[in-house]
Amino acid sequence: MTTPALLPLSGRRIPPLNLGPPSFPHHRATLRLSEKFILLLILSAFITLCFGAFFFLPDSSKHKRFDLGLEDVLIPHVDAGKGAKNPGVFLIHGPDEHRHREEEERLRNKIRADHEKALEEAKEKLRKSREEIRAEIQTEKNKVVQEMKIKQNKPLPPVPIPNLVGISGGDPEDSDIREKREKIKEMMKHAWDNYRTYGWGHNELRPIARKGHSPNIFGSSQMGATIVDALDTLYIMGLHAEFLDGQRWIEDNLDFSVNSEVSVFEVNIRFIGGLLAAYYLSGEEIFKIKAVQLAEKLLPAFNTPTGIPWAMVNLKSGVGRNWGWASAGSSILAEFGTLHMEFMHLSYLTGDLIYYKKVMHIRKLLQKMDRPNGLYPNYLNPRTGRWGQYHTSVGGLGDSFYEYLLKAWLMSDKTDHEARKMYDDAIEAIEKHLIKKSRGGLVFIGEWKNGHLEKKMGHLACFAGGMFALGADGSRTDKAGHYLELGAEIARTCHESYDRTALKLGPESFKFDGAVEAVAVRQAEKYYILRPEVIETYWYLWRFTHDPRYRQWGWEAALAIEKYCRVSGGFSGVKDVYSSTPTHDDVQQSFFLAETLKYLYLLFSGDDLLPLEHWVFNTEAHPLPVLHLANTTLSGNPAVR
């Protein structure tokens, strides 16, 4: 991914690219040797080891190296002059020379016996059939794998779990709303069952080709992104058999020791966020263990001169790098700024402050930097600590950075005042420089590029309507009503972007130039890839206002998805929302199950399901509980002190 043509249009997620099926198989090359040749190698190793040990036993006439009269322990001698260990000399505790020679002879005899035994075992192996040898080799391999699993899945230290409220229920009293919620659940079943049938274990599904799909953000490995991303949605909807299928796959197959380069941001929000949410909802320890294992694999990405992480890291080697197109090797604001929620929970659950320190270091660095017009540019060089291109957006490349400032405050039980101040300062600058009203009366959020406001808004920026509503309570100078209204205006604009298309589904981005308002102009901006941001804003506005228009708009979107995106093998994005006969892109995004369907289900559920006083949703819609002060173990948090 090294050319502008592959530029991601998302900060909250890098848009998965539909580049077609790979032209070559992704698999490990294996060298197969004759089993007997392998056994001969083992036999020669035995002989070398045994005879080597025999001939190189210490000569008692030169050095006394063993204390066999007291304990069978070798004690290294410390050179007082250097303070270093000398591995060649050992202290003598046993004064009995005769006794020492007897013990030495006993050891020689033991080595001879072991050598003869090894030869007999090797001969016995060679007498067996090829099938018997293969069976024994497989048994040994299975034993090693099982021992590794036990070692990797060792339990973490217990910590008090926050009070978990509303992890099920939410049944609406109105029969019409109840039917709509059941329809959303059926859509989830359709998406999951087809992935289970045709893409199981792959990261995503091609529902028309009916095979697995892996976008470049996950490297070439089959990490089951859809399974991890969908788990909490399955649990919330009461699809427990499907949830257990996913849990079993994770227990048996989810492996992070693969030689694969992944997006730190995407893996954090989808995998770590999904695993943590599944752990809190179900209480199953395996999800917490896997989340911590993966987080350890991401830590090398922070090994930069500034502590700003690389965009990508190889899970096996730990080598990191940035996207080639990203402003002279810069890291992206929405990527390194969208780690706080997950990393704070990792420190809470493990008692290890390293995750907390990583994200707080990023915050401190950003606070020291000058910001043009109070705006955060989207690019920051991790080597120099300087801003890249002066481009600011609340859509792709910037969006979830602002979201996580607000949610850090909410997740801390509203005690992280530093995060709240940074959010308020940023929103005031955004409102001053980026938020405008069109001639037709639509409020939109533009993008700032090198001193110029581009009057274009992306689908990704539509999440901000929900963010403004969520942050209204606690805003400065009693502006709660203002920000709730601003959120409602953004929701209306984004609804118009849907309503002005042939399919009633919104384009990737839309402009406000002259007579053109809330409409995509370029062909490359007319696609819809099952994105959730508009429905996310509908849900937040519904929770805070209970205005029926948001349920109405959400149902319109659900019907459009059902009519134009549903295919026999799942759900697919479409390439042109202005065409009455759309062409499918043949990708069922993992975030469709994690976010779009979850927000629709919550929109038609009661407020007692995952109440916002107790839960905060990460940018992939994975719910994480509020960490109340009574339960926190983060002593380094200034809010706690």
Side-chain angles (χ1 to χ4, degrees), residues 28 33 42 103 115 122 132 148 158 169 199-200 248 322 372 425 453 491 509 517 537 639:
R28 294 175 181 164
L33 298 174
I42 295 171
E103 291 295 341
H115 170 63
E132 289 175 315
M148 289 178 64
W200 193 240
R248 281 191 288 267
N322 275 341
D425 290 345
L453 181 69
S509 61
E517 294 195 355
T537 278

Side-chain angles (χ1 to χ4, degrees), residues 12 394-395 399 402-403 406-407 423 427 430 435 443-445 457-473 480-495 510 532-545 550 553 599 612:
R12 288 157 67 85
V394 184
D399 45 16
Y402 308 102
E403 175 188 1
L406 172 62
K407 290 181 176 179
Y423 170 78
I427 294 308
I430 286 168
I435 297 180
V443 175
F444 67 95
I445 310 173
M457 184 172 177
H459 192 290
L460 289 158
C462 286
F463 93 99
M467 180 179 72
F468 292 144
L470 185 62
D473 183 28
H482 166 73
Y483 284 115
L484 192 60
E485 180 60 29
L486 179 59
E489 289 291 338
I490 296 297
R492 184 169 77 93
T493 298
C494 292
H495 174 256
F510 41 95
E533 290 76 21
V534 174
I535 296 166
E536 174 184 354
T537 278
Y538 293 164
W539 174 62
Y540 278 113
L541 267 295
W542 164 257
R543 278 282 176 104
F544 289 114
T545 69
Y550 299 115
W553 291 351
Y599 284 130
L612 293 173

